[in-house]
């Protein structure tokens, strides 16, 4: 067999970490917060600023710490990335969250409140096929797959580039699946070598 090496070109980074335990106030606030059916197939909170709810101040601050870790350690960003909009997701029996990505956002994330033993995954989809020919590989890997599923449990937090398309398969259990999703944007002088592309964001 010929010796060879694989050089991963332009990989995307998905951050995954275990979040702290929620306080009683945080759990009660999340559980009682109303949701309504939305076009993507499940239900979500009506307000686009869910994490600004009374009682969730520390939760928002701790999510921001995870965002800071991603932007500083993965993106190596020389500017601040802050939380913009956020919402509660609820996926009941036979509901799903159809494929989408997040516009007007730099990186997005999800904090899983109730997901274990329900439909504990999120699936990411590659829009452009990796190869011209389409065939069934003898074994799937990150280089030949159009889709990759990430298992998640209660109190997992994931963060990923907002351009990534993703979805959640139908909830086949009788338990509600609850998560908190959030978007971010940048603040500061975004410098670039391209002429006329500098951007000042306040």
């Amino acid at each position: 067999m010929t010796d060879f090496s694989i050089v991963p070109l332009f990989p995307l980074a998905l951050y995954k970490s275990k979040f702290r335990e929620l306080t009683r106030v945080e759990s009660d606030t999340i559980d009682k917060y109303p949701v309504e059916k939305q076009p993507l197939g499940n239900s979500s909170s009506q307000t686009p600023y869910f994490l600004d709810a009374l009682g969730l101040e520390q939760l928002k601050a701790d999510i921001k710490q995870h965002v800071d870790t991603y932007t500083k350690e993965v993106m190596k960003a020389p500017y601040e990335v802050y939380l913009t909009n956020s919402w509660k997701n609820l996926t009941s029996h036979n509901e799903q969250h159809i494929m989408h990505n997040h516009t007007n956002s730099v990186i997005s994330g999800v904090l899983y409140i109730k997901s274990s033993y329900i439909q504990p995954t999120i699936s990411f989809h590659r829009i452009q096929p990796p190869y011209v020919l389409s065939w069934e590989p003898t074994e799937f890997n990150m280089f030949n797959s159009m889709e990759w599923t990430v298992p998640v449990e209660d109190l997992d937090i994931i963060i990923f580039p907002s351009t990534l398309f993703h979805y959640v398969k139908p909830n086949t259990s009788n338990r509600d699946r609850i998560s908190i999703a959030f978007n971010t944007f940048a603040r500061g002088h975004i410098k670039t070598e391209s002429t006329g592309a500098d951007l000042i964001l306040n």
Side-chain angles (χ1 to χ4, degrees):
M1 181 177 177
T2 303
D3 289 338
F4 68 93
S5 62
I6 295 294
V7 179
L9 288 177
F10 315 122
L12 296 173
L14 183 142
Y15 170 101
K16 182 179 179 183
S17 181
K18 185 62 70 175
F19 202 74
R20 62 166 173 79
E21 293 291 330
L22 302 182
T23 66
R24 176 63 63 86
V25 171
E26 290 169 343
S27 294
D28 288 346
T29 302
I30 294 169
D31 285 341
K32 295 176 182 177
Y33 210 91
V35 296
E36 60 181 26
K37 192 76 174 178
Q38 54 108 5
L40 289 177
N42 62 350
S43 298
S44 66
S45 52
Q46 193 170 13
T47 173
Y49 307 106
F50 172 74
L51 287 172
D52 290 336
L54 186 65
L56 300 184
E57 297 86 357
Q58 190 59 50
L59 183 68
K60 181 177 181 179
D62 292 343
I63 288 175
K64 175 62 163 57
Q65 287 188 347
H66 286 274
V67 168
D68 288 344
T69 299
Y70 186 97
T71 55
K72 293 175 182 176
E73 301 301 324
V74 178
M75 296 177 68
K76 300 296 182 181
Y79 45 80
E80 179 191 0
V81 172
Y82 62 97
L83 294 175
T84 54
N85 51 338
S86 54
W87 58 98
K88 170 185 172 181
N89 282 314
L90 187 147
T91 308
S92 297
H93 178 63
N94 281 337
E95 290 185 342
Q96 60 183 322
H97 206 172
I98 65 175
M99 191 181 302
H100 64 287
N101 67 353
H102 296 209
T103 57
N104 294 335
S105 177
V106 178
I107 55 173
S108 299
V110 185
L111 172 60
Y112 293 91
I113 308 302
K114 294 180 181 178
S115 66
S116 298
Y117 314 111
I118 301 175
Q119 206 292 313
T121 59
I122 180 171
S123 297
F124 291 87
H125 194 81
R126 186 200 305 250
I127 297 301
Q128 181 176 344
Y131 306 108
V132 172
L133 297 178
S134 178
W135 59 67
E136 185 80 11
T138 58
E139 179 182 349
F140 286 102
N141 57 43
M142 67 179 65
F143 301 109
N144 64 19
S145 298
M146 284 294 294
E147 179 178 295
W148 201 263
T149 296
V150 178
V152 292
E153 298 178 344
D154 292 358
L155 297 180
D156 279 350
I157 183 171
I158 64 170
I159 299 172
F160 51 89
S162 300
T163 53
L164 264 179
F165 281 83
H166 53 284
Y167 70 100
V168 177
K169 297 176 182 179
N171 179 4
T172 57
S173 80
N174 291 317
R175 299 173 59 189
D176 289 338
R177 183 181 191 272
I178 299 174
S179 64
I180 299 171
F182 54 89
N183 287 333
T184 67
F185 210 68
R187 179 184 288 120
H189 186 184
I190 314 301
K191 298 180 180 180
T192 175
E193 294 180 357
S194 300
T195 302
D198 274 17
L199 186 63
I200 298 178
L201 299 171
N202 296 321

